[in-house]
Amino acid sequence: MRERGEILGLKRKDLLTLQELGAEEILHILDTAASFKEVVQRPIKKVPALRGKTVVNLFFEPSTRTRTSFELAAKRLSADVVNFTAGSSSLVKGESLLDTVRNIEAMNVHTIIMRHSCSGAVHLVARHCRVGVVNAGDGTHAHPTQGLLDLFTIREVKKSFAGLTVTLVGDITHSRVARSNIHGLLALGAKVRVVGPATLIPKSIAQLGVEIHYRLEEAIAGADVINILRIQLERQDGQYFPSAREYAHLYGVNARRLKLAKPDVLIMHPGPMNRGIEISPRVADGPNSVILNQVTNGVAVRMAVLYLLSGGESDENPD
Amino acid sequence: MKTLIKGGRILDPATGHDAIGDLWIQDGKIESITPPGAKAPQTKDHVISAAGLAVAPGLVDMHVHLREPGAEYKETIASGTRAAAAGGITSVACMPNTDPPIDNLAMVELVLSKAKYQGVVNVYPVACVTRGREGKVLTEMGELKAAGVVAVSDDGDPVSSPALMRCALQYAGMLDLLMINHAEDKGLSGKGVAHAGFQSMLLGLSGIPRSALEVMIARDLILAEETGSRIHVPHVSTEGGVRMIREAKARGVLVTAETAPHYLVLTDDSLQGYDTNVRVNPPLAEQKDQEALLAGLRDGTIDAIATDHAPHSRREKEMEFALAAPGICGLETSLSLILTALVETKILTLLQAVQCMSFNPARILKIPKGTLKPGADADVVVFNPQAERVIRASAFLSQADNTPFDGWKVKGEVVMTLVGGRSVFENNEHTKAIHPA
């Protein structure tokens, strides 16, 4: 689809966080994703960029949509994809994470896409492996491709980040999506607000230059983008907030509250949604919602990441 | 036959002595300190040249995990005491979180017997406060004390019931047995793995708030005050902890406190990169905490520096951060880190540093160590405070080969360690210099 050497690969082996990327690298990924989005809208949604390469989806935490999105991205780049999930592995037999990964590496794979419930688990693997590691979510730390696809979706509509106000709603403390969004948005010049119950917002986040709010109405007033995080009811045990009912009452984004934001506000949600709790169905399905665009863009963004990390080497392969 | 340690800078915190001189040892005891060259050795005497070196009482480390019995793959009494000797430490108080725990006479005798036959430095067992460290039934402290136990502690599992703690303080106090309580409210620390602050927020690591440590310190101080018993607060790591202990001391509460070298040289900034070698409990806190600890050492609020030597095998450290075992090896790095970070920088004088690492912990444990007074056991460390060296985990005598200080350039090298007048460690590179032909 493009001339050899036109796109420079990323000068890194792994993608672990957005914090480690500068604005230039982020924009480079978004630009590349834009060309891949064009590819996936063609009748034949496939390019030979990673032909002959093997990508392993190594998921130590259950996931359907992110894993599928990565799998589609790799397949549309013509890579071979292997899915490895914790339940079917030797992990239950007490093998250490590094031993598991070293075994997979020994089978000569090119890229490991990894999700793990421990923050920093991907860093451990990246430090001990020669193959590239793409973080598909580590604990409550980072989810860089989600951050990138959110940025991509915002840029698609708003064109630029300067002067934008983006409000993140929900459990900031335990959200890797929030952290990745914050690093990316700040690097690109947007203003970021976070809002949620005081029990779920770390005060030290203000040191990053993020505005902290506890009243939803204040936090969404004049906002250009509202990114609504999933409330993980299974993680709460009545300590952080009293009930889903009270959460919806205080922090649920509904049509009435939406009027406080800019008329062209974008509504985003990383999914899966708790309709009627953090987001009302009318808002989720309304004209401001770009929630399904996020999902579509996710594949293009992940294609860009896999392609750029591989440095476009496969183009040199004559067959 | 006598041993003469000749011409070194002799430091005795018990008397405030800090001058060049000759140290004479006979029959395993300190005989005298004489001005340099005042008395000539006999031909049969063993002479050790200490010119340019410091000569101090062997260090006393009141917080060490020797792991035996139960986790001999991490450390043994044999390996741990050799590591201590290499660090200039001649007496260790070993913690009872073994498997089985040190909560009865047989276990105390086992540790003492292993120490006697396989160890090279003095080992003083700390026994449990409660049977099985379960926080329910007191151990037989009377019998344990008679067997040689110097303190009681449930170590990493603090006594959570305030009523039981109150009784334990009364009972241990009656026996003049030191109570050490790991200051952590487990309800508040929860699943936390790092200090709750900016770094843990960035890294997505569950935080342990200061309150988790300070609530327990506050409770223990109140109970110690009410019962009139002695309480020792181990590994103080936060500003609030220092402040409360300072206030309690001013009121006359019988409290003593220790901190560990890692809290004095590292902060939570070192969490970046998820190095599990800095996973430790209590967690590394912030700059302001470090400053408060240093101030506490200077004004005597913090009495002692103890390593909390907590060796783990590589298998337990090469792991996901939250799953890795907390603990840092300290025996072989403690003296160098303190010399580099506290003495070179003039935060403490050399004599004060030696006092915090020998005389003070000995006084807290009420053991006859930490001094070079005539008649005292000849436990002596000879070290070069100026020598530069690079810390190498791979060269540790401890079985653990991990440390956050691997590759650090530090000052201070132990040249020789004597226990009861007998050499238990000698640095090969210096053998020629200290044993003149």
Side-chain angles (χ1 to χ4, degrees), chain B residues 31-294:
Chain B
E31 190 214 58
S32 60
I33 296 173
T34 55
K39 221 168 77 179
Q42 312 262 307
T43 43
K44 60 181 180 183
D45 289 345
H46 176 206
V47 179
I48 295 162
S49 167
L53 304 178
V55 179
L59 306 181
V60 177
D61 190 341
M62 65 182 300
H63 197 144
V64 173
H65 298 268
L66 291 176
R67 304 293 189 210
E68 187 172 3
E72 290 84 353
Y73 69 98
K74 297 181 199 235
E75 195 80 285
T76 61
I77 288 170
S79 65
T81 56
R82 277 164 183 79
I89 295 159
T90 54
S91 295
V92 298
C94 64
M95 288 293 153
N97 63 334
T98 49
D99 184 16
I102 306 173
D103 64 355
N104 62 58
L105 180 63
M107 289 299 298
V108 172
E109 287 181 342
L110 173 78
V111 168
L112 287 174
S113 147
K114 289 238 177 197
K116 184 174 174 190
Y117 295 107
Q118 296 166 18
V120 297
V121 305
N122 307 298
V123 174
Y124 293 94
V126 174
C128 302
V129 179
T130 65
R131 287 186 203 166
R133 299 167 62 230
E134 285 175 348
K136 290 179 187 148
V137 180
L138 295 180
T139 53
E140 293 165 329
M141 293 183 198
E143 184 176 63
L144 295 171
K145 162 130 182 167
V149 157
V150 289
V152 284
S153 170
D154 275 352
D155 198 62
D157 290 313
V159 179
S160 63
S161 155
L164 182 66
M165 184 59 173
R166 192 168 171 278
C167 286
L169 275 164
Q170 287 177 321
Y171 198 84
M174 164 189 85
L175 298 167
D176 193 22
L177 195 52
L178 181 69
M179 169 69 70
I180 305 175
N181 195 33
H182 176 95
E184 176 184 349
D185 184 313
K186 297 264 185 183
L188 276 166
S189 54
K191 290 176 186 156
V193 297
H195 168 70
F198 182 64
Q199 293 299 341
S200 64
M201 181 278 296
L202 276 184
L203 294 163
L205 293 172
S206 311
I208 298 173
R210 297 164 188 285
S211 55
L213 317 173
E214 295 170 2
V215 160
M216 192 60 105
I217 295 178
R219 183 203 78 171
D220 288 349
L221 291 173
I222 290 166
L223 292 175
E225 183 163 19
E226 187 178 63
T227 57
S229 293
R230 290 195 289 147
I231 180 90
H232 177 76
V233 186
H235 43 52
V236 179
S237 60
T238 65
E239 185 187 28
V242 176
R243 189 180 59 240
M244 286 189 287
I245 293 164
R246 182 179 291 125
E247 287 166 4
K249 281 191 167 180
R251 273 204 316 281
V253 180
L254 299 179
V255 56
T256 52
E258 84 197 24
T259 189
H262 41 266
Y263 301 115
L264 302 172
V265 299
L266 294 173
T267 64
D268 62 349
D269 283 348
S270 58
L271 292 167
Q272 287 167 25
Y274 299 94
D275 179 5
T276 55
N277 289 326
V278 299
R279 169 111 205 257
V280 64
N281 199 16
L284 300 173
E286 299 167 32
Q287 186 78 39
K288 66 169 183 177
D289 299 292
Q290 201 172 77
E291 284 163 12
L293 291 171
L294 294 172

Side-chain angles (χ1 to χ4, degrees), chain A residues 46-79:
Chain A
K46 204 160 184 171
V47 289
L50 297 187
R51 191 164 60 180
K53 299 205 170 184
T54 310
V55 170
V56 178
N57 262 329
L58 184 55
F59 277 59
F60 296 96
E61 205 184 54
S63 155
T64 311
R65 65 183 64 210
T66 303
R67 190 181 52 70
T68 307
S69 179
F70 268 112
E71 186 171 348
L72 279 173
K75 285 183 167 163
R76 287 173 179 175
L77 293 167
S78 304

Side-chain angles (χ1 to χ4, degrees), chain B residues 305-317:
Chain B
I305 297 169
T307 62
D308 192 7
H309 177 76
H312 291 292
S313 77
R314 188 180 298 195
R315 157 162 87 91
E316 292 149 319
K317 282 294 191 185

Side-chain angles (χ1 to χ4, degrees), chain A residues 114-135:
Chain A
M114 181 172 150
R115 170 170 286 193
H116 197 288
S117 59
C118 288
S119 300
V122 290
H123 297 68
L124 175 74
V125 168
R127 199 161 54 235
H128 285 89
C129 280
R130 290 181 313 279
V131 302
V133 178
V134 178
N135 185 0

